[in-house]
Amino acid sequence: MADYLLLAAGFVLATVALGLVRILRGASAADSMMALQLLGTGGIAALLLLGAATGEAAVVDVALTLALLAAFASFAFVKAAGDAAGQDTTVKSAR
């Protein structure tokens, strides 16, 4: 079973490598950010598969930390893009 999980992790890493090409050739900042999100998601998937194959709990912790950092990176990108466009990106309560 571990062999199949390692094979799946290798496949995920191969698709992430294609996303890396898109990052390097990105036409716009949004294209590059979407490719970076793909890179993060693929990296998380590969780490989780690797952790399941080897039984190492530390690998799963690293994957979850990477997922948290990817969420913060997305938020920061949207916030910066809104600020650059002159839009108000603050959250207002609906009363």
Side-chain angles (χ1 to χ4, degrees):
M1 183 66 170
D3 293 336
Y4 293 118
L5 292 173
L6 291 175
L7 182 66
F11 178 73
V12 168
L13 287 177
T15 59
V16 167
L18 292 174
L20 185 60
V21 171
R22 182 63 183 157
I23 291 171
L24 297 175
R25 298 183 61 214
S28 68
D31 287 341
S32 295
M33 187 62 198
M34 290 302 296
L36 279 172
Q37 286 298 316
L38 172 69
L39 184 72
T41 303
I44 292 164
L47 284 172
L48 289 174
L49 286 168
L50 182 66
T54 61
E56 291 285 330
V59 176
V60 175
D61 291 341
V62 170
L64 293 176
T65 303
L66 183 59
L68 185 63
L69 290 174
F72 283 128
S74 292
F75 178 76
F77 175 77
V78 170
K79 179 83 172 138
D83 289 344
Q87 298 174 351
D88 184 19
T89 58
T90 58
V91 177
K92 296 177 182 158
S93 63
R95 288 190 182 186

